[in-house]
Amino acid sequence: MLRRLYYTLNPPIPTKAAGADPPGKPLNFGSLGAATITPWALVHAAKTHPEVVLYAVAARDTKRAEEFAKKHGFQRSFGGSTGYQDLLDDPKVDVVYNPLPNGLHFEWTMKALKAGKHVLLEKPATNTSAEAAQIFALAESKNLIVLEAFHYRFHPSMQRVKEILDSKELGAIQRISATFTVPSGTAAEGDIRWDYELGGGSVMDPGCYTVSILRYLASSNPTEVLTAKAVPYSTRPEHKQVDKMFWATLSLQPEIIGELHANLDESKIFGFIPRFPTISAKVQCEKGTVEMFNFLAPSIYHSIAVSPKGKRRRVEKAYTFKGVAKGEAWWTTYRYQLEAFVDKVQGRTPQHWLDPQDTIDNMKCVEAIYEKDGFGPRPPSKYIYTED
């Protein structure tokens, strides 16, 4: 674990002398915004990918953009009120990474596609499923790639869980439970995750992971939201539709029950001891269960507990793919995701992929949960796309 953690933070940077030239033309990445997730989701992963160049970053604050670029190795920065558009207008940018607040995903992804850029888009892709459909329709018309960054899907550990279920070793799936909670303070007062207009709320943030995992492991979409309950972030009027935690029960075919829970504000023990995050998925089948611990950051540590009825329980771990050359035990979910994304952009076949309908269906499910719990879906963007 210590070795994996060390190389995650200090990845061995490939050099031309260490091997052959990269198989494809290096891609210049531009990041919209200097978000806190960017170092993990893009910067660290890019350092070990020979076809990825950290070319530019844009931020509303010019000084912040300059400091972020210098700290993380971007070649240039764009700042000020036109910074985002200036980045998109740069002909040297091949790919745009969009980690902006949820409510801005649609506008700036559409603008990036209009500018002819591929897009690695943070999850959830948009505030509404209709917006997600618009994004992928435009991308297809322009022959561009857009990927919603559900990075956990690209790691060997979650794919191993899916492989166990698909093998029918444990029989038919009966119930899937997915939980994602984080301690109070993770999203501080005033954080964008508490802003309704920007797509805030627990279903949109950790909850969209639980929805994705449910659908992925079940290999089907929910047919109905049976129950849904949410708790508002505060009693203030601006938070009446912003959920800090939720529970939902869904039905899926064939005869599968899904149980989801997410909490963006898990209360402290005795009022002062922070709780550890709970990030797990459990699948109950006819002939036993399988449980995945820590699907979010499995490269640090994870476990896959398989408990067949009448047989000895076993624990598996999967840090690399068997028989596949690509991948190291210390590769994070983001690194595996970047590998697949670059392969797709370069015209190669990625090891794993999320197709457009996957993203659209995930947003439909998020909307259905919000309808059921009474909080209502997040508001659509006011941005209207035009070609001219």
Side-chain angles (χ1 to χ4, degrees), residues 328-378:
E328 300 287 347
W330 48 268
W331 273 21
T332 63
T333 52
Y334 298 113
R335 181 60 181 83
Y336 277 108
Q337 174 182 260
L338 187 63
E339 189 74 20
F341 179 77
V342 171
D343 279 348
K344 190 75 170 181
V345 170
Q346 299 284 38
R348 301 187 292 263
T349 301
Q351 188 274 332
H352 183 73
W353 195 248
L354 277 75
D355 62 36
Q357 196 60 48
D358 195 309
T359 292
I360 296 167
D361 288 343
N362 214 66
M363 286 310 305
K364 285 181 178 179
C365 189
V366 167
E367 290 173 317
I369 292 172
Y370 272 131
E371 288 286 5
K372 189 71 174 182
D373 67 22
F375 279 52
R378 309 299 86 176

CSV table of all heavy atoms in Angstrom, one decimal, residues 328-378:
chain,number,residue,atom,x,y,z
A,328,GLU,N,-0.4,-0.3,-14.1
A,328,GLU,CA,0.5,-0.6,-13.0
A,328,GLU,C,-0.3,-0.7,-11.7
A,328,GLU,O,-1.4,-0.1,-11.6
A,328,GLU,CB,1.6,0.5,-12.8
A,328,GLU,CG,2.5,0.7,-14.0
A,328,GLU,CD,3.5,-0.4,-14.2
A,328,GLU,OE1,3.7,-1.2,-13.3
A,328,GLU,OE2,4.1,-0.5,-15.3
A,329,ALA,N,0.2,-1.4,-10.7
A,329,ALA,CA,-0.6,-1.6,-9.5
A,329,ALA,C,-0.9,-0.2,-8.8
A,329,ALA,O,-1.9,-0.1,-8.1
A,329,ALA,CB,0.2,-2.5,-8.5
A,330,TRP,N,0.0,0.8,-9.0
A,330,TRP,CA,-0.2,2.1,-8.4
A,330,TRP,C,-1.1,3.0,-9.2
A,330,TRP,O,-1.4,4.2,-8.8
A,330,TRP,CB,1.1,2.7,-8.1
A,330,TRP,CG,2.1,2.7,-9.2
A,330,TRP,CD1,3.0,1.8,-9.5
A,330,TRP,CD2,2.2,3.7,-10.2
A,330,TRP,NE1,3.7,2.1,-10.6
A,330,TRP,CE2,3.2,3.3,-11.1
A,330,TRP,CE3,1.5,4.9,-10.5
A,330,TRP,CZ2,3.6,4.0,-12.2
A,330,TRP,CZ3,1.9,5.6,-11.7
A,330,TRP,CH2,2.9,5.2,-12.5
A,331,TRP,N,-1.5,2.6,-10.4
A,331,TRP,CA,-2.3,3.5,-11.3
A,331,TRP,C,-3.6,3.7,-10.5
A,331,TRP,O,-4.3,2.8,-10.1
A,331,TRP,CB,-2.6,2.8,-12.6
A,331,TRP,CG,-1.6,3.1,-13.7
A,331,TRP,CD1,-0.3,3.4,-13.5
A,331,TRP,CD2,-1.8,2.9,-15.1
A,331,TRP,NE1,0.3,3.5,-14.7
A,331,TRP,CE2,-0.5,3.2,-15.7
A,331,TRP,CE3,-2.9,2.6,-15.9
A,331,TRP,CZ2,-0.4,3.2,-17.1
A,331,TRP,CZ3,-2.7,2.5,-17.3
A,331,TRP,CH2,-1.5,2.8,-17.8
A,332,THR,N,-4.0,5.0,-10.5
A,332,THR,CA,-5.3,5.4,-9.9
A,332,THR,C,-6.4,5.1,-10.9
A,332,THR,O,-6.2,4.9,-12.0
A,332,THR,CB,-5.3,6.9,-9.5
A,332,THR,OG1,-5.2,7.7,-10.7
A,332,THR,CG2,-4.1,7.2,-8.5
A,333,THR,N,-7.6,5.3,-10.4
A,333,THR,CA,-8.8,5.2,-11.2
A,333,THR,C,-8.7,6.3,-12.3
A,333,THR,O,-9.1,6.0,-13.5
A,333,THR,CB,-10.1,5.4,-10.4
A,333,THR,OG1,-10.0,6.6,-9.7
A,333,THR,CG2,-10.4,4.3,-9.5
A,334,TYR,N,-8.2,7.4,-12.0
A,334,TYR,CA,-8.1,8.5,-12.9
A,334,TYR,C,-7.0,8.2,-14.0
A,334,TYR,O,-7.2,8.6,-15.2
A,334,TYR,CB,-7.6,9.8,-12.2
A,334,TYR,CG,-8.6,10.3,-11.2
A,334,TYR,CD1,-8.3,10.3,-9.8
A,334,TYR,CD2,-9.9,10.8,-11.6
A,334,TYR,CE1,-9.2,10.8,-8.9
A,334,TYR,CE2,-10.8,11.3,-10.7
A,334,TYR,CZ,-10.5,11.3,-9.3
A,334,TYR,OH,-11.4,11.8,-8.4
A,335,ARG,N,-6.0,7.5,-13.6
A,335,ARG,CA,-5.0,7.1,-14.6
A,335,ARG,C,-5.5,6.1,-15.6
A,335,ARG,O,-5.3,6.2,-16.8
A,335,ARG,CB,-3.7,6.6,-13.9
A,335,ARG,CG,-2.6,6.2,-14.9
A,335,ARG,CD,-2.1,7.4,-15.7
A,335,ARG,NE,-1.0,7.0,-16.6
A,335,ARG,CZ,-1.2,6.5,-17.8
A,335,ARG,NH1,-2.5,6.2,-18.2
A,335,ARG,NH2,-0.2,6.2,-18.6
A,336,TYR,N,-6.3,5.1,-15.1
A,336,TYR,CA,-6.9,4.1,-16.0
A,336,TYR,C,-7.9,4.8,-16.9
A,336,TYR,O,-8.0,4.5,-18.1
A,336,TYR,CB,-7.6,3.0,-15.2
A,336,TYR,CG,-6.7,1.9,-14.7
A,336,TYR,CD1,-6.3,1.8,-13.4
A,336,TYR,CD2,-6.1,1.0,-15.7
A,336,TYR,CE1,-5.4,0.8,-13.0
A,336,TYR,CE2,-5.3,0.0,-15.3
A,336,TYR,CZ,-5.0,-0.1,-13.9
A,336,TYR,OH,-4.1,-1.2,-13.5
A,337,GLN,N,-8.6,5.8,-16.3
A,337,GLN,CA,-9.6,6.5,-17.1
A,337,GLN,C,-8.9,7.3,-18.2
A,337,GLN,O,-9.4,7.3,-19.4
A,337,GLN,CB,-10.4,7.5,-16.2
A,337,GLN,CG,-11.3,8.4,-16.9
A,337,GLN,CD,-12.0,9.3,-16.0
A,337,GLN,OE1,-13.2,9.1,-15.6
A,337,GLN,NE2,-11.4,10.4,-15.6
A,338,LEU,N,-7.8,8.0,-17.9
A,338,LEU,CA,-7.1,8.8,-18.9
A,338,LEU,C,-6.6,7.9,-20.0
A,338,LEU,O,-6.6,8.3,-21.2
A,338,LEU,CB,-6.0,9.6,-18.2
A,338,LEU,CG,-5.2,10.6,-19.1
A,338,LEU,CD1,-6.2,11.7,-19.6
A,338,LEU,CD2,-4.0,11.2,-18.4
A,339,GLU,N,-6.1,6.7,-19.7
A,339,GLU,CA,-5.6,5.8,-20.7
A,339,GLU,C,-6.7,5.5,-21.7
A,339,GLU,O,-6.5,5.5,-22.9
A,339,GLU,CB,-5.2,4.5,-20.0
A,339,GLU,CG,-4.4,3.6,-21.0
A,339,GLU,CD,-3.0,4.0,-21.3
A,339,GLU,OE1,-2.5,4.8,-20.6
A,339,GLU,OE2,-2.5,3.6,-22.3
A,340,ALA,N,-7.9,5.2,-21.2
A,340,ALA,CA,-9.1,4.9,-22.1
A,340,ALA,C,-9.5,6.1,-22.9
A,340,ALA,O,-9.8,5.9,-24.1
A,340,ALA,CB,-10.2,4.4,-21.2
A,341,PHE,N,-9.5,7.2,-22.3
A,341,PHE,CA,-10.0,8.4,-23.0
A,341,PHE,C,-9.0,8.8,-24.1
A,341,PHE,O,-9.5,9.1,-25.2
A,341,PHE,CB,-10.0,9.6,-22.0
A,341,PHE,CG,-10.5,10.9,-22.6
A,341,PHE,CD1,-11.8,11.1,-22.9
A,341,PHE,CD2,-9.5,11.9,-22.9
A,341,PHE,CE1,-12.2,12.3,-23.5
A,341,PHE,CE2,-9.9,13.1,-23.5
A,341,PHE,CZ,-11.2,13.3,-23.8
A,342,VAL,N,-7.7,8.7,-23.9
A,342,VAL,CA,-6.7,9.0,-24.9
A,342,VAL,C,-6.8,8.0,-26.0
A,342,VAL,O,-6.7,8.3,-27.2
A,342,VAL,CB,-5.3,9.1,-24.3
A,342,VAL,CG1,-4.3,9.2,-25.4
A,342,VAL,CG2,-5.2,10.3,-23.4
A,343,ASP,N,-7.0,6.7,-25.6
A,343,ASP,CA,-7.1,5.7,-26.7
A,343,ASP,C,-8.3,6.0,-27.6
A,343,ASP,O,-8.2,5.9,-28.8
A,343,ASP,CB,-7.3,4.3,-26.0
A,343,ASP,CG,-6.0,3.7,-25.5
A,343,ASP,OD1,-5.0,4.2,-25.9
A,343,ASP,OD2,-6.1,2.7,-24.8
A,344,LYS,N,-9.4,6.4,-27.0
A,344,LYS,CA,-10.6,6.7,-27.8
A,344,LYS,C,-10.4,7.9,-28.7
A,344,LYS,O,-10.7,7.9,-29.9
A,344,LYS,CB,-11.8,7.0,-26.9
A,344,LYS,CG,-13.1,7.1,-27.6
A,344,LYS,CD,-13.7,5.7,-28.0
A,344,LYS,CE,-15.1,5.8,-28.4
A,344,LYS,NZ,-15.6,4.5,-28.8
A,345,VAL,N,-9.8,9.0,-28.2
A,345,VAL,CA,-9.5,10.2,-29.0
A,345,VAL,C,-8.5,9.8,-30.1
A,345,VAL,O,-8.7,10.3,-31.3
A,345,VAL,CB,-8.9,11.3,-28.1
A,345,VAL,CG1,-8.4,12.5,-29.0
A,345,VAL,CG2,-10.0,11.8,-27.1
A,346,GLN,N,-7.6,9.0,-29.8
A,346,GLN,CA,-6.6,8.6,-30.8
A,346,GLN,C,-7.0,7.6,-31.8
A,346,GLN,O,-6.3,7.2,-32.7
A,346,GLN,CB,-5.3,8.1,-30.1
A,346,GLN,CG,-4.6,9.1,-29.2
A,346,GLN,CD,-3.9,10.2,-30.0
A,346,GLN,OE1,-4.3,10.7,-31.0
A,346,GLN,NE2,-2.7,10.6,-29.4
A,347,GLY,N,-8.3,7.1,-31.7
A,347,GLY,CA,-8.8,6.2,-32.7
A,347,GLY,C,-8.5,4.7,-32.3
A,347,GLY,O,-8.8,3.8,-33.1
A,348,ARG,N,-8.0,4.5,-31.1
A,348,ARG,CA,-7.8,3.1,-30.7
A,348,ARG,C,-9.0,2.6,-29.8
A,348,ARG,O,-9.8,3.4,-29.4
A,348,ARG,CB,-6.5,3.1,-29.8
A,348,ARG,CG,-5.3,3.5,-30.6
A,348,ARG,CD,-4.0,3.3,-29.8
A,348,ARG,NE,-3.9,4.1,-28.5
A,348,ARG,CZ,-3.2,5.2,-28.4
A,348,ARG,NH1,-2.6,5.7,-29.5
A,348,ARG,NH2,-3.2,5.9,-27.3
A,349,THR,N,-9.0,1.3,-29.6
A,349,THR,CA,-10.1,0.7,-28.8
A,349,THR,C,-9.8,0.8,-27.4
A,349,THR,O,-8.8,0.1,-27.0
A,349,THR,CB,-10.4,-0.7,-29.3
A,349,THR,OG1,-10.8,-0.7,-30.7
A,349,THR,CG2,-11.6,-1.3,-28.5
A,350,PRO,N,-10.5,1.5,-26.5
A,350,PRO,CA,-10.2,1.5,-25.1
A,350,PRO,C,-10.5,0.2,-24.4
A,350,PRO,O,-11.4,-0.5,-24.9
A,350,PRO,CB,-11.0,2.7,-24.6
A,350,PRO,CG,-12.2,2.8,-25.5
A,350,PRO,CD,-11.6,2.4,-26.9
A,351,GLN,N,-9.9,0.0,-23.3
A,351,GLN,CA,-10.2,-1.2,-22.5
A,351,GLN,C,-11.6,-1.2,-22.0
A,351,GLN,O,-12.3,-2.3,-21.9
A,351,GLN,CB,-9.2,-1.3,-21.3
A,351,GLN,CG,-9.3,-2.6,-20.5
A,351,GLN,CD,-10.3,-2.6,-19.4
A,351,GLN,OE1,-10.7,-1.5,-18.9
A,351,GLN,NE2,-10.8,-3.8,-19.1
A,352,HIS,N,-12.1,0.0,-21.7
A,352,HIS,CA,-13.5,0.1,-21.2
A,352,HIS,C,-14.0,1.5,-21.6
A,352,HIS,O,-13.2,2.4,-21.9
A,352,HIS,CB,-13.5,0.0,-19.6
A,352,HIS,CG,-14.8,0.1,-19.0
A,352,HIS,ND1,-15.7,-0.9,-19.1
A,352,HIS,CD2,-15.5,1.1,-18.3
A,352,HIS,CE1,-16.9,-0.6,-18.4
A,352,HIS,NE2,-16.7,0.6,-18.0
A,353,TRP,N,-15.3,1.6,-21.7
A,353,TRP,CA,-15.9,2.9,-22.1
A,353,TRP,C,-17.3,3.1,-21.6
A,353,TRP,O,-18.0,2.1,-21.3
A,353,TRP,CB,-15.9,3.0,-23.7
A,353,TRP,CG,-16.1,4.4,-24.2
A,353,TRP,CD1,-17.2,4.8,-24.9
A,353,TRP,CD2,-15.2,5.5,-24.1
A,353,TRP,NE1,-17.0,6.2,-25.2
A,353,TRP,CE2,-15.8,6.6,-24.7
A,353,TRP,CE3,-14.0,5.6,-23.5
A,353,TRP,CZ2,-15.2,7.8,-24.7
A,353,TRP,CZ3,-13.3,6.8,-23.5
A,353,TRP,CH2,-14.0,7.9,-24.2
A,354,LEU,N,-17.7,4.3,-21.4
A,354,LEU,CA,-19.1,4.7,-21.1
A,354,LEU,C,-19.7,5.3,-22.3
A,354,LEU,O,-19.2,6.4,-22.8
A,354,LEU,CB,-19.1,5.7,-19.9
A,354,LEU,CG,-19.0,5.2,-18.5
A,354,LEU,CD1,-17.6,4.8,-18.2
A,354,LEU,CD2,-19.5,6.2,-17.5
A,355,ASP,N,-20.7,4.7,-22.9
A,355,ASP,CA,-21.3,5.3,-24.1
A,355,ASP,C,-22.2,6.4,-23.7
A,355,ASP,O,-22.6,6.6,-22.5
A,355,ASP,CB,-21.9,4.2,-25.0
A,355,ASP,CG,-23.1,3.5,-24.2
A,355,ASP,OD1,-23.8,4.2,-23.5
A,355,ASP,OD2,-23.3,2.3,-24.5
A,356,PRO,N,-22.6,7.3,-24.7
A,356,PRO,CA,-23.5,8.4,-24.4
A,356,PRO,C,-24.8,8.0,-23.7
A,356,PRO,O,-25.2,8.7,-22.8
A,356,PRO,CB,-23.8,9.0,-25.8
A,356,PRO,CG,-22.6,8.6,-26.6
A,356,PRO,CD,-22.2,7.3,-26.1
A,357,GLN,N,-25.4,6.9,-24.1
A,357,GLN,CA,-26.7,6.5,-23.4
A,357,GLN,C,-26.5,6.2,-22.0
A,357,GLN,O,-27.4,6.4,-21.2
A,357,GLN,CB,-27.3,5.3,-24.2
A,357,GLN,CG,-28.7,5.1,-23.8
A,357,GLN,CD,-29.6,6.3,-24.2
A,357,GLN,OE1,-29.5,6.8,-25.3
A,357,GLN,NE2,-30.5,6.7,-23.3
A,358,ASP,N,-25.3,5.7,-21.6
A,358,ASP,CA,-25.1,5.5,-20.2
A,358,ASP,C,-25.2,6.8,-19.4
A,358,ASP,O,-25.8,6.8,-18.3
A,358,ASP,CB,-23.7,4.9,-20.0
A,358,ASP,CG,-23.4,4.2,-18.7
A,358,ASP,OD1,-23.7,4.9,-17.7
A,358,ASP,OD2,-23.0,3.1,-18.6
A,359,THR,N,-24.6,7.8,-19.9
A,359,THR,CA,-24.6,9.1,-19.2
A,359,THR,C,-26.1,9.7,-19.1
A,359,THR,O,-26.5,10.1,-18.1
A,359,THR,CB,-23.7,10.1,-19.9
A,359,THR,OG1,-22.4,9.7,-19.7
A,359,THR,CG2,-23.9,11.5,-19.3
A,360,ILE,N,-26.8,9.6,-20.3
A,360,ILE,CA,-28.1,10.1,-20.3
A,360,ILE,C,-29.0,9.3,-19.4
A,360,ILE,O,-29.8,9.9,-18.6
A,360,ILE,CB,-28.7,10.0,-21.8
A,360,ILE,CG1,-27.9,10.9,-22.7
A,360,ILE,CG2,-30.2,10.3,-21.8
A,360,ILE,CD1,-28.1,10.6,-24.2
A,361,ASP,N,-28.9,8.0,-19.3
A,361,ASP,CA,-29.7,7.2,-18.4
A,361,ASP,C,-29.4,7.4,-17.0
A,361,ASP,O,-30.3,7.4,-16.1
A,361,ASP,CB,-29.5,5.7,-18.8
A,361,ASP,CG,-30.2,5.3,-20.1
A,361,ASP,OD1,-31.0,6.0,-20.6
A,361,ASP,OD2,-29.8,4.2,-20.6
A,362,ASN,N,-28.2,7.7,-16.7
A,362,ASN,CA,-27.8,8.0,-15.3
A,362,ASN,C,-28.5,9.3,-14.8
A,362,ASN,O,-29.0,9.4,-13.7
A,362,ASN,CB,-26.3,8.1,-15.1
A,362,ASN,CG,-25.8,7.6,-13.8
A,362,ASN,OD1,-25.9,6.4,-13.5
A,362,ASN,ND2,-25.3,8.5,-12.9
A,363,MET,N,-28.5,10.3,-15.7
A,363,MET,CA,-29.1,11.6,-15.3
A,363,MET,C,-30.7,11.4,-15.2
A,363,MET,O,-31.3,12.0,-14.4
A,363,MET,CB,-28.8,12.6,-16.4
A,363,MET,CG,-27.4,13.2,-16.3
A,363,MET,SD,-26.9,13.7,-14.6
A,363,MET,CE,-28.2,14.8,-14.2
A,364,LYS,N,-31.2,10.5,-16.0
A,364,LYS,CA,-32.7,10.3,-15.9
A,364,LYS,C,-33.0,9.7,-14.6
A,364,LYS,O,-34.0,10.0,-14.0
A,364,LYS,CB,-33.1,9.3,-17.0
A,364,LYS,CG,-33.2,9.9,-18.4
A,364,LYS,CD,-33.7,8.9,-19.5
A,364,LYS,CE,-33.8,9.6,-20.8
A,364,LYS,NZ,-34.3,8.6,-21.9
A,365,CYS,N,-32.1,8.8,-14.1
A,365,CYS,CA,-32.4,8.2,-12.8
A,365,CYS,C,-32.2,9.2,-11.6
A,365,CYS,O,-33.0,9.3,-10.7
A,365,CYS,CB,-31.4,7.0,-12.6
A,365,CYS,SG,-31.8,6.1,-11.1
A,366,VAL,N,-31.2,10.1,-11.8
A,366,VAL,CA,-31.0,11.2,-10.8
A,366,VAL,C,-32.3,12.1,-10.7
A,366,VAL,O,-32.8,12.4,-9.7
A,366,VAL,CB,-29.8,12.0,-11.1
A,366,VAL,CG1,-29.8,13.3,-10.3
A,366,VAL,CG2,-28.5,11.2,-10.9
A,367,GLU,N,-32.8,12.4,-11.9
A,367,GLU,CA,-34.0,13.2,-12.0
A,367,GLU,C,-35.2,12.5,-11.3
A,367,GLU,O,-36.0,13.2,-10.7
A,367,GLU,CB,-34.3,13.6,-13.5
A,367,GLU,CG,-33.3,14.5,-14.1
A,367,GLU,CD,-33.6,14.7,-15.6
A,367,GLU,OE1,-33.8,13.7,-16.3
A,367,GLU,OE2,-33.5,15.8,-16.0
A,368,ALA,N,-35.3,11.2,-11.6
A,368,ALA,CA,-36.4,10.5,-11.0
A,368,ALA,C,-36.4,10.4,-9.5
A,368,ALA,O,-37.4,10.5,-8.8
A,368,ALA,CB,-36.4,9.0,-11.6
A,369,ILE,N,-35.2,10.3,-8.9
A,369,ILE,CA,-35.1,10.3,-7.5
A,369,ILE,C,-35.5,11.7,-6.9
A,369,ILE,O,-36.2,11.8,-5.9
A,369,ILE,CB,-33.6,10.0,-7.1
A,369,ILE,CG1,-33.3,8.5,-7.4
A,369,ILE,CG2,-33.4,10.2,-5.6
A,369,ILE,CD1,-31.8,8.1,-7.2
A,370,TYR,N,-35.0,12.7,-7.6
A,370,TYR,CA,-35.4,14.1,-7.1
A,370,TYR,C,-36.9,14.3,-7.2
A,370,TYR,O,-37.5,15.0,-6.4
A,370,TYR,CB,-34.6,15.1,-7.9
A,370,TYR,CG,-33.3,15.5,-7.3
A,370,TYR,CD1,-32.1,15.5,-8.1
A,370,TYR,CD2,-33.2,15.8,-6.0
A,370,TYR,CE1,-30.9,15.9,-7.6
A,370,TYR,CE2,-32.0,16.2,-5.4
A,370,TYR,CZ,-30.8,16.2,-6.2
A,370,TYR,OH,-29.6,16.5,-5.7
A,371,GLU,N,-37.5,13.8,-8.3
A,371,GLU,CA,-39.0,13.9,-8.4
A,371,GLU,C,-39.7,13.2,-7.3
A,371,GLU,O,-40.7,13.7,-6.7
A,371,GLU,CB,-39.4,13.3,-9.7
A,371,GLU,CG,-39.1,14.2,-10.9
A,371,GLU,CD,-39.9,15.4,-11.1
A,371,GLU,OE1,-40.7,15.7,-10.2
A,371,GLU,OE2,-39.7,16.2,-12.1
A,372,LYS,N,-39.2,12.0,-6.9
A,372,LYS,CA,-39.8,11.2,-5.9
A,372,LYS,C,-39.7,11.8,-4.5
A,372,LYS,O,-40.6,11.7,-3.7
A,372,LYS,CB,-39.2,9.8,-5.9
A,372,LYS,CG,-39.9,8.8,-5.0
A,372,LYS,CD,-41.3,8.4,-5.6
A,372,LYS,CE,-41.9,7.3,-4.8
A,372,LYS,NZ,-43.2,6.8,-5.3
A,373,ASP,N,-38.5,12.3,-4.2
A,373,ASP,CA,-38.3,12.9,-2.8
A,373,ASP,C,-38.8,14.3,-2.7
A,373,ASP,O,-38.8,14.8,-1.5
A,373,ASP,CB,-36.8,12.8,-2.5
A,373,ASP,CG,-35.9,13.8,-3.3
A,373,ASP,OD1,-36.4,14.8,-3.8
A,373,ASP,OD2,-34.7,13.5,-3.3
A,374,GLY,N,-39.3,14.8,-3.7
A,374,GLY,CA,-40.0,16.1,-3.6
A,374,GLY,C,-39.1,17.3,-3.8
A,374,GLY,O,-39.6,18.5,-3.7
A,375,PHE,N,-37.8,17.1,-3.9
A,375,PHE,CA,-36.9,18.2,-4.0
A,375,PHE,C,-36.8,18.8,-5.4
A,375,PHE,O,-36.4,19.9,-5.6
A,375,PHE,CB,-35.5,17.8,-3.6
A,375,PHE,CG,-35.3,17.8,-2.1
A,375,PHE,CD1,-36.1,17.2,-1.2
A,375,PHE,CD2,-34.2,18.5,-1.5
A,375,PHE,CE1,-36.0,17.2,0.2
A,375,PHE,CE2,-34.0,18.5,-0.1
A,375,PHE,CZ,-34.9,17.9,0.7
A,376,GLY,N,-37.2,18.0,-6.4
A,376,GLY,CA,-37.3,18.4,-7.8
A,376,GLY,C,-35.9,18.4,-8.4
A,376,GLY,O,-34.9,18.6,-7.8
A,377,PRO,N,-35.8,18.1,-9.7
A,377,PRO,CA,-34.6,18.1,-10.5
A,377,PRO,C,-33.9,19.4,-10.4
A,377,PRO,O,-34.5,20.5,-10.2
A,377,PRO,CB,-35.0,17.7,-11.9
A,377,PRO,CG,-36.3,17.0,-11.7
A,377,PRO,CD,-37.0,17.7,-10.6
A,378,ARG,N,-32.6,19.4,-10.8
A,378,ARG,CA,-31.8,20.7,-10.8
A,378,ARG,C,-32.3,21.5,-12.0
A,378,ARG,O,-32.7,21.0,-13.0
A,378,ARG,CB,-30.3,20.4,-10.9
A,378,ARG,CG,-29.8,19.5,-9.8
A,378,ARG,CD,-30.0,19.9,-8.4
A,378,ARG,NE,-31.3,19.5,-7.8
A,378,ARG,CZ,-31.7,19.7,-6.6
A,378,ARG,NH1,-30.9,20.3,-5.7
A,378,ARG,NH2,-32.9,19.3,-6.2
